[in-house]
Amino acid sequence: MSNDNSTAESAAKTSNFIHQIIEDDLKSADAPKQIVTRFPPEPNGYLHIGHAKSICLNFGTAEKFNGVCNLRFDDTNPEKESQEYIEAIKRDIRWLGFTWHEDVRYTSSYFDQLYNWAVYLIEKGNAYVCDLNAEQARAYRGDFTTPGKNSPYRDRSISENLTLFAKMKAGGFAEGFCSLRAKIDMQSSNMNLRDPMLYRILNVSHHQTGDQWCIYPIYDFAHGQSDAIEGITHSICTLEFEGHRPLYEWFLEHLPVASTPRQYEFSRLELNYTVTSKRKLKQLVDKGIVNGWDDPRMPTISGMRRRGYTATAIRKFCDMVGVTRSNGVVDVGMLESAVREDLEVNAKRAMCVIDPLKVTLSNVAEGASEMLSLAVHPKLDMGERELPFSKYLYIEKQDFSEDTSLGRKKFKRLVIGDYVRLRGAYVIKAEQVIKDDSGQIIEVIASIVPGTVGANPAPEFKPRGVIHWVSACHAVPCELRIYDRLFSDATPDKNKEKPFTELINPDSLQVIPRAWAEPSLLKAEIESGYQFERTGYFVADADSTPEQLVFNQTLPLRESKAK
RNA sequence: UGGGGUAUCGCCAAGCGGUAAGGCAACGGGUUUUGAUCUCGUCAUGCGGAGGUUCGAAUCCUCCUACCCCAGCCA
């Protein structure tokens, strides 16, 4: 489908601070044999545009340096995770065009090893079972300006800790009764080092391990070690994990791990007029504000796919925004620009009239039907399509005006007494307008200039412009869903007055139940992009049935001010 | 407030001591059987601020300022 095979080349050209670090690493004496990265989503929601950036970075970096990238589900919190999300995430990554190394990994498949390492820490006197409840633990932790206090359980003996931890694992304690904590430094100015929790008791079954465990490791105790197990060389994550890096390294230093991955952080992607947080996107879904995770207004990968955004465009966009450590909010227009750039060369052209006005051609015989052949793309060779022409047409209401004083440059459409080109067909002249009792224009009588198909007319018949059309008796009805940005606020999650769920653009979805498409669109495939000439990019939606075609507007065409 | 980060055009972003790339947007001109595309041009004497070092500073030093992250048994 994609005519763009320059993605890999341009990806190879783009660089960022992480690539620079890797280049240095590769030159060093202890250079890794191979670069290994990983994309570690938690299966607690669908992937969004922010994840796309991380995916492009991790898979793209591995590709650039002839390394590999693992897909690892960071499934340490079964309460919020599900198999449905796992399947959706795999589907989205594949759709983006990336292939993970070997089999999918799961942090949960390392639970035994992680447990043994926890025991190891206890044996070395570096971890203890703490009976403080959540509230008490918070009080003991202190705050930014107050150092924490040691837990009264901090100095339990190694053997007692071993017994207690085994009992935790065996289900001997109620949820929340106790936890395993690392013995680091309650006075640390880095809150993450104030004896962080390693394991908590969770009496829930896990989507991968079933009821095998009732204790689950916390992120910090699982992530770095999982990286080490997999031989990850560069563990790339977002900025909010920066403060966790000392802890990440502490575990690698205090455990007999086989390799020492390094963590690097970059700033997460933010887009204006949207939210990029799985938690918030889930709220939109749960509250029914949108129709599911793949609603075409959602910045999820599956939503964008359904909207008609292409993988090529999303990857191009990720390339455009770059990778840095500074927080910023990217203009959603940049994403749209990448989408148009791809669709301009990859979308087939077709015609569809949204708001029809009947045109009767006075000098075309009743019942006469001519089959015209039009290029699928005006510049690229994408074949031809057949288009029936007849005495009765539909054009857009907007493309006709009674105001004959409108200048030819000001209004490049149909006006009584003047000429206009029907795209790919004849030049016509509007002769007469017919109105109903209320004065509404219901029909225009026009005539064709013979011999103007594929040929320019004599100068005196020079058309004001080109308009799109369909043959009224051949056109197929279809439903159009026109989308606009989901939020009316540029920064919905930073608004002080209202929660983001109340900043929804009331016009984010407009349904046009009956538009008229050229017959070739009957063959439109789901997810295949079209440009409806002069109106916008559209894509056939999976809701389409043999009786009713449904198209989603991907984006309108750009419009210069004059229009 | 303690700690950790970040500040270059409206937005994103190169720059790594030698005199401010590029993209998006915007604004002008041209081409065009899509008011699309394409194309040509304009768009930071200035790099958060103030000092300092240097022949030379966005790049080095000092001091300010603003914003982001951390006080989940989330990731």
Side-chain angles (χ1 to χ4, degrees), chain A residues 412-414 419-428 449 451-457 461-469:
Chain A
K412 305 165 83 165
R413 315 179 203 185
L414 198 59
Y419 300 85
V420 81
R421 159 75 68 180
L422 292 177
R423 175 68 160 158
Y426 295 89
V427 169
I428 62 169
V449 180
T452 51
V453 176
N456 283 328
F461 304 137
K462 187 175 172 27
R464 290 171 81 105
V466 182
I467 63 171
H468 58 103
W469 58 278

PDB file of all heavy atoms in Angstrom, chain A residues 412-414 419-428 449 451-457 461-469, chain B residues 33-34:
ATOM      1  N   LYS A 412     -14.638  30.465  -7.882  1.00  0.00           N
ATOM      2  CA  LYS A 412     -14.228  29.640  -9.013  1.00  0.00           C
ATOM      3  C   LYS A 412     -15.177  28.470  -9.227  1.00  0.00           C
ATOM      4  O   LYS A 412     -14.758  27.344  -9.402  1.00  0.00           O
ATOM      5  CB  LYS A 412     -12.790  29.165  -8.787  1.00  0.00           C
ATOM      6  CG  LYS A 412     -11.836  30.326  -8.548  1.00  0.00           C
ATOM      7  CD  LYS A 412     -10.516  29.889  -7.976  1.00  0.00           C
ATOM      8  CE  LYS A 412      -9.569  29.423  -9.053  1.00  0.00           C
ATOM      9  NZ  LYS A 412      -8.170  29.335  -8.557  1.00  0.00           N
ATOM     10  N   ARG A 413     -16.477  28.765  -9.147  1.00  0.00           N
ATOM     11  CA  ARG A 413     -17.453  27.675  -9.285  1.00  0.00           C
ATOM     12  C   ARG A 413     -18.582  28.103 -10.227  1.00  0.00           C
ATOM     13  O   ARG A 413     -18.431  29.063 -10.980  1.00  0.00           O
ATOM     14  CB  ARG A 413     -17.986  27.308  -7.903  1.00  0.00           C
ATOM     15  CG  ARG A 413     -16.854  27.211  -6.871  1.00  0.00           C
ATOM     16  CD  ARG A 413     -17.355  26.877  -5.516  1.00  0.00           C
ATOM     17  NE  ARG A 413     -16.396  27.321  -4.509  1.00  0.00           N
ATOM     18  CZ  ARG A 413     -16.508  27.096  -3.225  1.00  0.00           C
ATOM     19  NH1 ARG A 413     -17.558  26.428  -2.772  1.00  0.00           N
ATOM     20  NH2 ARG A 413     -15.613  27.543  -2.387  1.00  0.00           N
ATOM     21  N   LEU A 414     -19.689  27.397 -10.096  1.00  0.00           N
ATOM     22  CA  LEU A 414     -20.759  27.626 -11.053  1.00  0.00           C
ATOM     23  C   LEU A 414     -21.624  28.850 -10.757  1.00  0.00           C
ATOM     24  O   LEU A 414     -22.070  29.064  -9.632  1.00  0.00           O
ATOM     25  CB  LEU A 414     -21.635  26.369 -11.126  1.00  0.00           C
ATOM     26  CG  LEU A 414     -22.552  26.233 -12.351  1.00  0.00           C
ATOM     27  CD1 LEU A 414     -21.737  26.249 -13.644  1.00  0.00           C
ATOM     28  CD2 LEU A 414     -23.371  24.946 -12.244  1.00  0.00           C
ATOM     29  N   TYR A 419     -19.073  29.410 -17.169  1.00  0.00           N
ATOM     30  CA  TYR A 419     -18.623  28.039 -17.370  1.00  0.00           C
ATOM     31  C   TYR A 419     -17.839  27.497 -16.186  1.00  0.00           C
ATOM     32  O   TYR A 419     -17.145  28.234 -15.489  1.00  0.00           O
ATOM     33  CB  TYR A 419     -17.742  27.961 -18.621  1.00  0.00           C
ATOM     34  CG  TYR A 419     -18.474  28.388 -19.865  1.00  0.00           C
ATOM     35  CD1 TYR A 419     -18.557  29.748 -20.211  1.00  0.00           C
ATOM     36  CD2 TYR A 419     -19.106  27.444 -20.671  1.00  0.00           C
ATOM     37  CE1 TYR A 419     -19.253  30.153 -21.342  1.00  0.00           C
ATOM     38  CE2 TYR A 419     -19.804  27.836 -21.806  1.00  0.00           C
ATOM     39  CZ  TYR A 419     -19.875  29.188 -22.138  1.00  0.00           C
ATOM     40  OH  TYR A 419     -20.567  29.577 -23.245  1.00  0.00           O
ATOM     41  N   VAL A 420     -17.954  26.190 -15.998  1.00  0.00           N
ATOM     42  CA  VAL A 420     -17.155  25.533 -14.977  1.00  0.00           C
ATOM     43  C   VAL A 420     -16.806  24.139 -15.508  1.00  0.00           C
ATOM     44  O   VAL A 420     -17.540  23.559 -16.306  1.00  0.00           O
ATOM     45  CB  VAL A 420     -17.931  25.459 -13.632  1.00  0.00           C
ATOM     46  CG1 VAL A 420     -18.925  24.299 -13.629  1.00  0.00           C
ATOM     47  CG2 VAL A 420     -16.991  25.335 -12.448  1.00  0.00           C
ATOM     48  N   ARG A 421     -15.675  23.642 -15.077  1.00  0.00           N
ATOM     49  CA  ARG A 421     -15.254  22.303 -15.499  1.00  0.00           C
ATOM     50  C   ARG A 421     -15.767  21.274 -14.506  1.00  0.00           C
ATOM     51  O   ARG A 421     -15.608  21.430 -13.310  1.00  0.00           O
ATOM     52  CB  ARG A 421     -13.723  22.255 -15.547  1.00  0.00           C
ATOM     53  CG  ARG A 421     -13.082  20.892 -15.468  1.00  0.00           C
ATOM     54  CD  ARG A 421     -13.187  20.101 -16.751  1.00  0.00           C
ATOM     55  NE  ARG A 421     -12.373  20.692 -17.817  1.00  0.00           N
ATOM     56  CZ  ARG A 421     -12.306  20.180 -19.051  1.00  0.00           C
ATOM     57  NH1 ARG A 421     -13.017  19.087 -19.361  1.00  0.00           N
ATOM     58  NH2 ARG A 421     -11.553  20.766 -19.966  1.00  0.00           N
ATOM     59  N   LEU A 422     -16.398  20.237 -15.013  1.00  0.00           N
ATOM     60  CA  LEU A 422     -16.755  19.118 -14.144  1.00  0.00           C
ATOM     61  C   LEU A 422     -15.503  18.247 -14.133  1.00  0.00           C
ATOM     62  O   LEU A 422     -15.017  17.821 -15.191  1.00  0.00           O
ATOM     63  CB  LEU A 422     -17.934  18.334 -14.729  1.00  0.00           C
ATOM     64  CG  LEU A 422     -19.287  19.071 -14.761  1.00  0.00           C
ATOM     65  CD1 LEU A 422     -20.326  18.187 -15.427  1.00  0.00           C
ATOM     66  CD2 LEU A 422     -19.735  19.467 -13.361  1.00  0.00           C
ATOM     67  N   ARG A 423     -14.983  18.027 -12.987  1.00  0.00           N
ATOM     68  CA  ARG A 423     -13.738  17.279 -12.847  1.00  0.00           C
ATOM     69  C   ARG A 423     -13.751  15.995 -13.692  1.00  0.00           C
ATOM     70  O   ARG A 423     -14.660  15.156 -13.561  1.00  0.00           O
ATOM     71  CB  ARG A 423     -13.544  16.921 -11.374  1.00  0.00           C
ATOM     72  CG  ARG A 423     -12.355  16.036 -11.082  1.00  0.00           C
ATOM     73  CD  ARG A 423     -11.065  16.765 -11.322  1.00  0.00           C
ATOM     74  NE  ARG A 423      -9.952  16.117 -10.622  1.00  0.00           N
ATOM     75  CZ  ARG A 423      -8.692  16.270 -10.974  1.00  0.00           C
ATOM     76  NH1 ARG A 423      -8.367  17.052 -12.010  1.00  0.00           N
ATOM     77  NH2 ARG A 423      -7.753  15.681 -10.293  1.00  0.00           N
ATOM     78  N   GLY A 424     -12.763  15.883 -14.578  1.00  0.00           N
ATOM     79  CA  GLY A 424     -12.636  14.682 -15.382  1.00  0.00           C
ATOM     80  C   GLY A 424     -13.691  14.521 -16.453  1.00  0.00           C
ATOM     81  O   GLY A 424     -13.746  13.499 -17.128  1.00  0.00           O
ATOM     82  N   ALA A 425     -14.555  15.533 -16.614  1.00  0.00           N
ATOM     83  CA  ALA A 425     -15.634  15.411 -17.594  1.00  0.00           C
ATOM     84  C   ALA A 425     -15.754  16.708 -18.414  1.00  0.00           C
ATOM     85  O   ALA A 425     -14.738  17.320 -18.727  1.00  0.00           O
ATOM     86  CB  ALA A 425     -16.939  15.085 -16.870  1.00  0.00           C
ATOM     87  N   TYR A 426     -16.971  17.091 -18.710  1.00  0.00           N
ATOM     88  CA  TYR A 426     -17.206  18.245 -19.581  1.00  0.00           C
ATOM     89  C   TYR A 426     -17.119  19.589 -18.871  1.00  0.00           C
ATOM     90  O   TYR A 426     -17.256  19.694 -17.656  1.00  0.00           O
ATOM     91  CB  TYR A 426     -18.605  18.168 -20.197  1.00  0.00           C
ATOM     92  CG  TYR A 426     -18.808  17.006 -21.125  1.00  0.00           C
ATOM     93  CD1 TYR A 426     -19.260  15.782 -20.638  1.00  0.00           C
ATOM     94  CD2 TYR A 426     -18.556  17.140 -22.500  1.00  0.00           C
ATOM     95  CE1 TYR A 426     -19.459  14.709 -21.487  1.00  0.00           C
ATOM     96  CE2 TYR A 426     -18.764  16.068 -23.362  1.00  0.00           C
ATOM     97  CZ  TYR A 426     -19.212  14.849 -22.848  1.00  0.00           C
ATOM     98  OH  TYR A 426     -19.404  13.803 -23.695  1.00  0.00           O
ATOM     99  N   VAL A 427     -16.942  20.607 -19.685  1.00  0.00           N
ATOM    100  CA  VAL A 427     -17.128  21.971 -19.218  1.00  0.00           C
ATOM    101  C   VAL A 427     -18.616  22.209 -19.410  1.00  0.00           C
ATOM    102  O   VAL A 427     -19.197  21.789 -20.412  1.00  0.00           O
ATOM    103  CB  VAL A 427     -16.318  22.977 -20.075  1.00  0.00           C
ATOM    104  CG1 VAL A 427     -16.730  24.414 -19.747  1.00  0.00           C
ATOM    105  CG2 VAL A 427     -14.821  22.778 -19.838  1.00  0.00           C
ATOM    106  N   ILE A 428     -19.270  22.797 -18.415  1.00  0.00           N
ATOM    107  CA  ILE A 428     -20.699  23.084 -18.554  1.00  0.00           C
ATOM    108  C   ILE A 428     -20.977  24.569 -18.333  1.00  0.00           C
ATOM    109  O   ILE A 428     -20.166  25.274 -17.738  1.00  0.00           O
ATOM    110  CB  ILE A 428     -21.561  22.262 -17.557  1.00  0.00           C
ATOM    111  CG1 ILE A 428     -21.189  22.612 -16.108  1.00  0.00           C
ATOM    112  CG2 ILE A 428     -21.417  20.772 -17.838  1.00  0.00           C
ATOM    113  CD1 ILE A 428     -22.162  22.056 -15.074  1.00  0.00           C
ATOM    114  N   VAL A 449     -20.480  21.698 -22.884  1.00  0.00           N
ATOM    115  CA  VAL A 449     -19.782  22.184 -24.071  1.00  0.00           C
ATOM    116  C   VAL A 449     -19.207  20.938 -24.717  1.00  0.00           C
ATOM    117  O   VAL A 449     -18.314  20.299 -24.144  1.00  0.00           O
ATOM    118  CB  VAL A 449     -18.657  23.178 -23.709  1.00  0.00           C
ATOM    119  CG1 VAL A 449     -17.946  23.654 -24.979  1.00  0.00           C
ATOM    120  CG2 VAL A 449     -19.220  24.366 -22.934  1.00  0.00           C
ATOM    121  N   GLY A 451     -17.208  18.081 -26.663  1.00  0.00           N
ATOM    122  CA  GLY A 451     -15.800  17.944 -27.010  1.00  0.00           C
ATOM    123  C   GLY A 451     -14.829  18.447 -25.966  1.00  0.00           C
ATOM    124  O   GLY A 451     -13.644  18.629 -26.245  1.00  0.00           O
ATOM    125  N   THR A 452     -15.308  18.683 -24.758  1.00  0.00           N
ATOM    126  CA  THR A 452     -14.387  19.212 -23.738  1.00  0.00           C
ATOM    127  C   THR A 452     -13.911  18.172 -22.746  1.00  0.00           C
ATOM    128  O   THR A 452     -13.257  18.490 -21.757  1.00  0.00           O
ATOM    129  CB  THR A 452     -15.051  20.379 -22.970  1.00  0.00           C
ATOM    130  OG1 THR A 452     -16.352  19.980 -22.509  1.00  0.00           O
ATOM    131  CG2 THR A 452     -15.189  21.609 -23.846  1.00  0.00           C
ATOM    132  N   VAL A 453     -14.232  16.893 -22.994  1.00  0.00           N
ATOM    133  CA  VAL A 453     -13.689  15.866 -22.097  1.00  0.00           C
ATOM    134  C   VAL A 453     -12.227  15.654 -22.462  1.00  0.00           C
ATOM    135  O   VAL A 453     -11.915  15.316 -23.597  1.00  0.00           O
ATOM    136  CB  VAL A 453     -14.460  14.533 -22.240  1.00  0.00           C
ATOM    137  CG1 VAL A 453     -13.812  13.454 -21.362  1.00  0.00           C
ATOM    138  CG2 VAL A 453     -15.917  14.724 -21.840  1.00  0.00           C
ATOM    139  N   GLY A 454     -11.367  15.885 -21.528  1.00  0.00           N
ATOM    140  CA  GLY A 454      -9.935  15.704 -21.783  1.00  0.00           C
ATOM    141  C   GLY A 454      -9.361  16.734 -22.729  1.00  0.00           C
ATOM    142  O   GLY A 454      -8.260  16.566 -23.241  1.00  0.00           O
ATOM    143  N   ALA A 455     -10.102  17.784 -22.996  1.00  0.00           N
ATOM    144  CA  ALA A 455      -9.621  18.818 -23.907  1.00  0.00           C
ATOM    145  C   ALA A 455     -10.088  20.175 -23.428  1.00  0.00           C
ATOM    146  O   ALA A 455     -11.177  20.308 -22.861  1.00  0.00           O
ATOM    147  CB  ALA A 455     -10.147  18.562 -25.316  1.00  0.00           C
ATOM    148  N   ASN A 456      -9.257  21.168 -23.618  1.00  0.00           N
ATOM    149  CA  ASN A 456      -9.645  22.510 -23.203  1.00  0.00           C
ATOM    150  C   ASN A 456     -10.569  23.136 -24.228  1.00  0.00           C
ATOM    151  O   ASN A 456     -10.416  22.932 -25.424  1.00  0.00           O
ATOM    152  CB  ASN A 456      -8.413  23.389 -23.012  1.00  0.00           C
ATOM    153  CG  ASN A 456      -7.711  23.074 -21.701  1.00  0.00           C
ATOM    154  OD1 ASN A 456      -8.353  22.702 -20.721  1.00  0.00           O
ATOM    155  ND2 ASN A 456      -6.400  23.204 -21.689  1.00  0.00           N
ATOM    156  N   PRO A 457     -11.548  23.865 -23.751  1.00  0.00           N
ATOM    157  CA  PRO A 457     -12.484  24.516 -24.665  1.00  0.00           C
ATOM    158  C   PRO A 457     -11.856  25.765 -25.292  1.00  0.00           C
ATOM    159  O   PRO A 457     -10.753  26.167 -24.910  1.00  0.00           O
ATOM    160  CB  PRO A 457     -13.635  24.909 -23.742  1.00  0.00           C
ATOM    161  CG  PRO A 457     -12.966  25.161 -22.417  1.00  0.00           C
ATOM    162  CD  PRO A 457     -11.842  24.160 -22.338  1.00  0.00           C
ATOM    163  N   PHE A 461     -14.948  29.932 -23.713  1.00  0.00           N
ATOM    164  CA  PHE A 461     -15.655  29.038 -22.790  1.00  0.00           C
ATOM    165  C   PHE A 461     -14.786  28.678 -21.577  1.00  0.00           C
ATOM    166  O   PHE A 461     -15.037  27.734 -20.869  1.00  0.00           O
ATOM    167  CB  PHE A 461     -16.047  27.734 -23.494  1.00  0.00           C
ATOM    168  CG  PHE A 461     -16.867  27.930 -24.737  1.00  0.00           C
ATOM    169  CD1 PHE A 461     -16.602  27.189 -25.883  1.00  0.00           C
ATOM    170  CD2 PHE A 461     -17.914  28.863 -24.759  1.00  0.00           C
ATOM    171  CE1 PHE A 461     -17.358  27.358 -27.031  1.00  0.00           C
ATOM    172  CE2 PHE A 461     -18.674  29.037 -25.913  1.00  0.00           C
ATOM    173  CZ  PHE A 461     -18.398  28.292 -27.068  1.00  0.00           C
ATOM    174  N   LYS A 462     -13.751  29.447 -21.395  1.00  0.00           N
ATOM    175  CA  LYS A 462     -12.814  29.132 -20.288  1.00  0.00           C
ATOM    176  C   LYS A 462     -13.552  29.036 -18.954  1.00  0.00           C
ATOM    177  O   LYS A 462     -14.229  29.973 -18.538  1.00  0.00           O
ATOM    178  CB  LYS A 462     -11.743  30.225 -20.198  1.00  0.00           C
ATOM    179  CG  LYS A 462     -10.625  29.918 -19.202  1.00  0.00           C
ATOM    180  CD  LYS A 462      -9.558  30.998 -19.288  1.00  0.00           C
ATOM    181  CE  LYS A 462      -8.456  30.949 -18.243  1.00  0.00           C
ATOM    182  NZ  LYS A 462      -8.103  29.717 -17.660  1.00  0.00           N
ATOM    183  N   PRO A 463     -13.449  27.868 -18.293  1.00  0.00           N
ATOM    184  CA  PRO A 463     -14.174  27.686 -17.024  1.00  0.00           C
ATOM    185  C   PRO A 463     -13.595  28.510 -15.876  1.00  0.00           C
ATOM    186  O   PRO A 463     -12.406  28.808 -15.854  1.00  0.00           O
ATOM    187  CB  PRO A 463     -14.039  26.187 -16.765  1.00  0.00           C
ATOM    188  CG  PRO A 463     -12.787  25.789 -17.469  1.00  0.00           C
ATOM    189  CD  PRO A 463     -12.704  26.664 -18.687  1.00  0.00           C
ATOM    190  N   ARG A 464     -14.480  28.850 -14.973  1.00  0.00           N
ATOM    191  CA  ARG A 464     -14.057  29.607 -13.786  1.00  0.00           C
ATOM    192  C   ARG A 464     -13.209  28.731 -12.872  1.00  0.00           C
ATOM    193  O   ARG A 464     -12.374  29.225 -12.120  1.00  0.00           O
ATOM    194  CB  ARG A 464     -15.289  30.054 -12.983  1.00  0.00           C
ATOM    195  CG  ARG A 464     -16.128  31.117 -13.652  1.00  0.00           C
ATOM    196  CD  ARG A 464     -17.423  31.335 -12.883  1.00  0.00           C
ATOM    197  NE  ARG A 464     -17.253  32.200 -11.729  1.00  0.00           N
ATOM    198  CZ  ARG A 464     -17.657  33.470 -11.678  1.00  0.00           C
ATOM    199  NH1 ARG A 464     -18.259  34.040 -12.708  1.00  0.00           N
ATOM    200  NH2 ARG A 464     -17.459  34.179 -10.606  1.00  0.00           N
ATOM    201  N   GLY A 465     -13.493  27.456 -12.926  1.00  0.00           N
ATOM    202  CA  GLY A 465     -12.784  26.549 -12.020  1.00  0.00           C
ATOM    203  C   GLY A 465     -13.222  25.128 -12.281  1.00  0.00           C
ATOM    204  O   GLY A 465     -13.820  24.826 -13.305  1.00  0.00           O
ATOM    205  N   VAL A 466     -12.917  24.258 -11.346  1.00  0.00           N
ATOM    206  CA  VAL A 466     -13.223  22.842 -11.482  1.00  0.00           C
ATOM    207  C   VAL A 466     -14.042  22.413 -10.268  1.00  0.00           C
ATOM    208  O   VAL A 466     -13.667  22.723  -9.137  1.00  0.00           O
ATOM    209  CB  VAL A 466     -11.923  22.007 -11.531  1.00  0.00           C
ATOM    210  CG1 VAL A 466     -12.237  20.526 -11.712  1.00  0.00           C
ATOM    211  CG2 VAL A 466     -11.012  22.505 -12.644  1.00  0.00           C
ATOM    212  N   ILE A 467     -15.135  21.744 -10.503  1.00  0.00           N
ATOM    213  CA  ILE A 467     -15.921  21.244  -9.367  1.00  0.00           C
ATOM    214  C   ILE A 467     -16.134  19.741  -9.513  1.00  0.00           C
ATOM    215  O   ILE A 467     -16.037  19.186 -10.597  1.00  0.00           O
ATOM    216  CB  ILE A 467     -17.296  21.958  -9.240  1.00  0.00           C
ATOM    217  CG1 ILE A 467     -18.175  21.691 -10.466  1.00  0.00           C
ATOM    218  CG2 ILE A 467     -17.098  23.458  -9.015  1.00  0.00           C
ATOM    219  CD1 ILE A 467     -19.611  22.192 -10.298  1.00  0.00           C
ATOM    220  N   HIS A 468     -16.398  19.116  -8.387  1.00  0.00           N
ATOM    221  CA  HIS A 468     -16.632  17.675  -8.419  1.00  0.00           C
ATOM    222  C   HIS A 468     -18.128  17.402  -8.538  1.00  0.00           C
ATOM    223  O   HIS A 468     -18.954  18.276  -8.278  1.00  0.00           O
ATOM    224  CB  HIS A 468     -16.030  17.016  -7.180  1.00  0.00           C
ATOM    225  CG  HIS A 468     -16.563  17.537  -5.879  1.00  0.00           C
ATOM    226  ND1 HIS A 468     -17.476  16.865  -5.133  1.00  0.00           N
ATOM    227  CD2 HIS A 468     -16.306  18.679  -5.212  1.00  0.00           C
ATOM    228  CE1 HIS A 468     -17.763  17.563  -4.044  1.00  0.00           C
ATOM    229  NE2 HIS A 468     -17.061  18.678  -4.063  1.00  0.00           N
ATOM    230  N   TRP A 469     -18.464  16.199  -8.933  1.00  0.00           N
ATOM    231  CA  TRP A 469     -19.838  15.856  -9.271  1.00  0.00           C
ATOM    232  C   TRP A 469     -20.015  14.341  -9.236  1.00  0.00           C
ATOM    233  O   TRP A 469     -19.030  13.591  -9.200  1.00  0.00           O
ATOM    234  CB  TRP A 469     -20.141  16.341 -10.700  1.00  0.00           C
ATOM    235  CG  TRP A 469     -19.170  15.705 -11.682  1.00  0.00           C
ATOM    236  CD1 TRP A 469     -17.893  16.128 -11.943  1.00  0.00           C
ATOM    237  CD2 TRP A 469     -19.361  14.511 -12.446  1.00  0.00           C
ATOM    238  NE1 TRP A 469     -17.273  15.266 -12.829  1.00  0.00           N
ATOM    239  CE2 TRP A 469     -18.156  14.275 -13.156  1.00  0.00           C
ATOM    240  CE3 TRP A 469     -20.435  13.626 -12.609  1.00  0.00           C
ATOM    241  CZ2 TRP A 469     -17.999  13.185 -14.023  1.00  0.00           C
ATOM    242  CZ3 TRP A 469     -20.274  12.548 -13.475  1.00  0.00           C
ATOM    243  CH2 TRP A 469     -19.058  12.335 -14.170  1.00  0.00           C
TER     244      TRP A 469
ATOM    245  P     U B  33      -4.978  23.191 -16.072  1.00  0.00           P
ATOM    246  OP1   U B  33      -4.474  22.663 -17.350  1.00  0.00           O
ATOM    247  OP2   U B  33      -5.205  24.639 -15.876  1.00  0.00           O
ATOM    248  O5'   U B  33      -6.321  22.412 -15.727  1.00  0.00           O
ATOM    249  C5'   U B  33      -7.204  22.953 -14.756  1.00  0.00           C
ATOM    250  C4'   U B  33      -8.036  21.802 -14.210  1.00  0.00           C
ATOM    251  O4'   U B  33      -8.846  21.269 -15.277  1.00  0.00           O
ATOM    252  C3'   U B  33      -7.199  20.671 -13.646  1.00  0.00           C
ATOM    253  O3'   U B  33      -7.614  20.475 -12.314  1.00  0.00           O
ATOM    254  C2'   U B  33      -7.583  19.447 -14.496  1.00  0.00           C
ATOM    255  O2'   U B  33      -7.813  18.305 -13.697  1.00  0.00           O
ATOM    256  C1'   U B  33      -8.915  19.877 -15.093  1.00  0.00           C
ATOM    257  N1    U B  33      -9.299  19.264 -16.338  1.00  0.00           N
ATOM    258  C2    U B  33     -10.242  18.242 -16.239  1.00  0.00           C
ATOM    259  O2    U B  33     -10.693  17.882 -15.175  1.00  0.00           O
ATOM    260  N3    U B  33     -10.623  17.690 -17.414  1.00  0.00           N
ATOM    261  C4    U B  33     -10.179  18.037 -18.663  1.00  0.00           C
ATOM    262  O4    U B  33     -10.631  17.449 -19.632  1.00  0.00           O
ATOM    263  C5    U B  33      -9.179  19.096 -18.694  1.00  0.00           C
ATOM    264  C6    U B  33      -8.783  19.654 -17.547  1.00  0.00           C
ATOM    265  P     U B  34      -6.760  21.001 -11.099  1.00  0.00           P
ATOM    266  OP1   U B  34      -6.722  22.466 -11.103  1.00  0.00           O
ATOM    267  OP2   U B  34      -5.512  20.226 -11.035  1.00  0.00           O
ATOM    268  O5'   U B  34      -7.693  20.537  -9.894  1.00  0.00           O
ATOM    269  C5'   U B  34      -9.108  20.690  -9.991  1.00  0.00           C
ATOM    270  C4'   U B  34      -9.685  20.574  -8.596  1.00  0.00           C
ATOM    271  O4'   U B  34      -9.450  19.231  -8.117  1.00  0.00           O
ATOM    272  C3'   U B  34      -9.037  21.542  -7.609  1.00  0.00           C
ATOM    273  O3'   U B  34     -10.042  22.067  -6.764  1.00  0.00           O
ATOM    274  C2'   U B  34      -8.078  20.673  -6.816  1.00  0.00           C
ATOM    275  O2'   U B  34      -8.021  21.070  -5.481  1.00  0.00           O
ATOM    276  C1'   U B  34      -8.750  19.293  -6.887  1.00  0.00           C
ATOM    277  N1    U B  34      -7.810  18.187  -6.812  1.00  0.00           N
ATOM    278  C2    U B  34      -7.989  17.334  -5.728  1.00  0.00           C
ATOM    279  O2    U B  34      -8.867  17.485  -4.905  1.00  0.00           O
ATOM    280  N3    U B  34      -7.100  16.309  -5.654  1.00  0.00           N
ATOM    281  C4    U B  34      -6.077  16.052  -6.530  1.00  0.00           C
ATOM    282  O4    U B  34      -5.359  15.081  -6.344  1.00  0.00           O
ATOM    283  C5    U B  34      -5.945  16.984  -7.622  1.00  0.00           C
ATOM    284  C6    U B  34      -6.800  18.000  -7.717  1.00  0.00           C
TER     285        U B  34
END
